[in-house]
Amino acid sequence: MLFRSMTLDAALLQRVVPATLSRAPPEPLAVSVVDVPESWGDEAIEVVGQEGLTGLRLFGLRQPTLVGRVAERKAIWSALRAAAERRRPQAVLLLGASGLGRSRLMRWVLEQVHALGVGLPVAAVARRPPAGDRVLRELVEGAWLVPADPAERAKAVARLPEAAETALDEEARLAVRIAATVDAVRDAARGRPVVIGLDDIQWSPTALAFAAATLRDADAGPMLLVLTAQEEGLADRPAARAALDRLAAREDVTVVEVGPVPDADLGLLVDALVQLEPMTHRLLLEHATGSPLLVVRGLETWIGAGALTETARGLRVAEGADLGRLAPDAAVEDELEAILAGVPEAEAWAMERAAVLGDVVDTAEWDAARRLDALPDPEALRERLLDRGILRATPSGWVFARSATRVALRHRAARSGREAGHHRAVAAVLAGGDPARL
């Protein structure tokens, strides 16, 4: 079977499937669908701490533990069970800012499905333009990586260009390639549920089209699509945002908002990576502001600089070490500087002061803190940051939806010697005093 007709509108279907190439509906599955258990197993978090400098030597050699996120994991698992029971596709959309663990959640369910033997895990990463869009090919290659000999795998991959040759225009060619991809992945699963992870889907029109078409396809079989979308990546991509809004409105799609990790859970991640004495532990959590990625990068920075030394209570900052700041993500810094280009410096300083206030910014406190130095209200700049998903409005102000941006703002202030002044102003407002006395 070259490809199977999907649920498409009649006009497109007529172009995609000429009469001479029509195919019969797929034959019933020869293998019964595997039962997916109610839970993935022990929901408790097992943390195996590292000991002293041995932990430093092991750091980076294993994947960080997934901590917390029990509600999010239950939502994903429930959708997987629904796909298996109904024998048709379901989807989970993991929506959030960079560095908060969307991709890690996606990898977690792929790992669990493989470990329990309850499905076929397949993943593809949508690459930022202008990189080539290889999503469909990656899915087919991944699906046939284990269960097939090289000849079968090559044959499965070859179905994509062969199928596309039957179409008459670009839209129809894409529809045929998607149908061929669904068939290839479904055949490789041999009756088991398929879990398809599509990471950073906002970058790929092909991945978005694949998700929409697969959910419309009643004959696709038991499939769970785990889609991750980066909020800030949608700011300049209205077509992608519209496509995701249409997906989110479907009854067979569960939307999970992935926010900052609470400090209690983030502390478990630190413990699983390396043993820190309490003060250093708290310092790392303060800088990470809910971001697992910043925990890992912060430790990489400290370890790489030789800034940690061993004590009886764990690793701490060495005497005389220039700890500096946790290095912000270079791409986030570049994006921030591009946004601030042309903005009056005083307005940028006002946003730095907001970053010192914390992840959650109360407008009244921020107004008081910036007025101490006659800093203006950068209203247009705030609107741009809100539109890009970097800030998220709240009834009393806003939150930094992306912890990495707050870190980048603080790093910017520290480089120019302004951070101490911001801290004095914020402390004065919170204490109701005069910053000159602090």
Side-chain angles (χ1 to χ4, degrees), residues 226-305:
V226 184
L227 318 172
T228 79
Q230 182 190 104
E231 282 186 342
E232 60 270 28
L234 293 168
D236 299 324
R237 304 183 70 80
R241 182 177 289 279
L244 285 174
D245 286 344
R246 289 192 294 271
L247 286 174
R250 295 180 59 96
E251 292 184 358
D252 48 12
V253 176
T254 301
V255 179
V256 177
E257 293 193 2
V258 181
V261 178
D263 277 356
D265 290 335
L266 206 59
L268 293 175
L269 173 61
V270 176
D271 294 338
L273 292 170
V274 69
Q275 184 180 347
L276 299 179
E277 60 86 26
M279 187 66 73
T280 306
H281 192 281
R282 286 196 295 273
L283 181 62
L284 180 59
L285 292 184
E286 177 188 343
H287 284 295
T289 58
S291 169
L293 180 63
L294 289 181
V295 163
V296 174
R297 288 189 172 164
L299 287 171
E300 288 174 347
T301 300
W302 292 355
I303 293 170

Side-chain angles (χ1 to χ4, degrees), residues 118-356:
V118 296
L120 173 67
V122 187
V125 177
R127 291 169 175 79
R128 186 190 298 258
D133 199 339
R134 298 185 69 255
V135 166
L136 301 183
R137 185 180 183 90
E138 286 182 14
L139 291 178
V140 175
E141 289 177 340
W144 286 88
L145 186 62
V146 175
D149 61 36
E152 284 182 299
R153 184 163 59 251
K155 183 178 178 181
V157 173
R159 294 160 93 176
L160 296 180
E162 287 175 4
E165 289 173 3
T166 67
L168 302 180
D169 57 39
E170 184 176 349
E171 182 183 9
R173 281 197 300 273
L174 176 59
V176 173
R177 285 171 60 83
I178 288 173
T181 300
V182 172
D183 276 339
V185 172
R186 175 180 172 275
D187 292 349
R190 291 177 166 84
R192 294 177 296 162
V194 179
V195 179
I196 297 176
L198 292 172
D199 203 12
D200 282 341
I201 194 173
Q202 77 280 345
W203 300 130
S204 170
T206 299
L208 288 164
F210 174 85
T214 302
L215 288 169
R216 292 194 302 266
D217 184 4
D219 294 322
M223 290 188 178
L224 174 65
L225 308 182
V226 184
L227 318 172
T228 79
Q230 182 190 104
E231 282 186 342
E232 60 270 28
L234 293 168
D236 299 324
R237 304 183 70 80
R241 182 177 289 279
L244 285 174
D245 286 344
R246 289 192 294 271
L247 286 174
R250 295 180 59 96
E251 292 184 358
D252 48 12
V253 176
T254 301
V255 179
V256 177
E257 293 193 2
V258 181
V261 178
D263 277 356
D265 290 335
L266 206 59
L268 293 175
L269 173 61
V270 176
D271 294 338
L273 292 170
V274 69
Q275 184 180 347
L276 299 179
E277 60 86 26
M279 187 66 73
T280 306
H281 192 281
R282 286 196 295 273
L283 181 62
L284 180 59
L285 292 184
E286 177 188 343
H287 284 295
T289 58
S291 169
L293 180 63
L294 289 181
V295 163
V296 174
R297 288 189 172 164
L299 287 171
E300 288 174 347
T301 300
W302 292 355
I303 293 170
L308 298 177
T309 187
E310 191 171 17
T311 74
R313 303 184 67 189
L315 297 162
R316 66 169 174 79
V317 178
E319 288 291 334
D322 181 11
L323 200 58
R325 296 276 149 212
L326 297 189
D329 186 287
V332 173
E333 274 203 306
D334 290 345
E335 178 190 31
L336 178 63
E337 290 306 320
I339 292 172
L340 296 179
V343 172
E345 271 297 287
E347 294 190 9
W349 297 350
M351 291 308 302
E352 292 173 2
R353 189 154 295 184
V356 171

Side-chain angles (χ1 to χ4, degrees), residues 5 17 45 125 129 269 351 370 378 385 395:
S5 301
V17 189
I45 302 168
V125 177
L269 173 61
M351 291 308 302
R370 62 182 177 77
L385 295 173

Side-chain angles (χ1 to χ4, degrees), residues 27-36 83-88 117-120 186-194 221-222:
E27 297 178 1
L29 295 176
V31 182
S32 61
V33 175
V34 175
D35 288 331
V36 177
E85 291 169 359
R86 299 169 189 173
R87 299 196 176 196
R88 62 171 301 149
V118 296
L120 173 67
R186 175 180 172 275
D187 292 349
R190 291 177 166 84
R192 294 177 296 162
V194 179

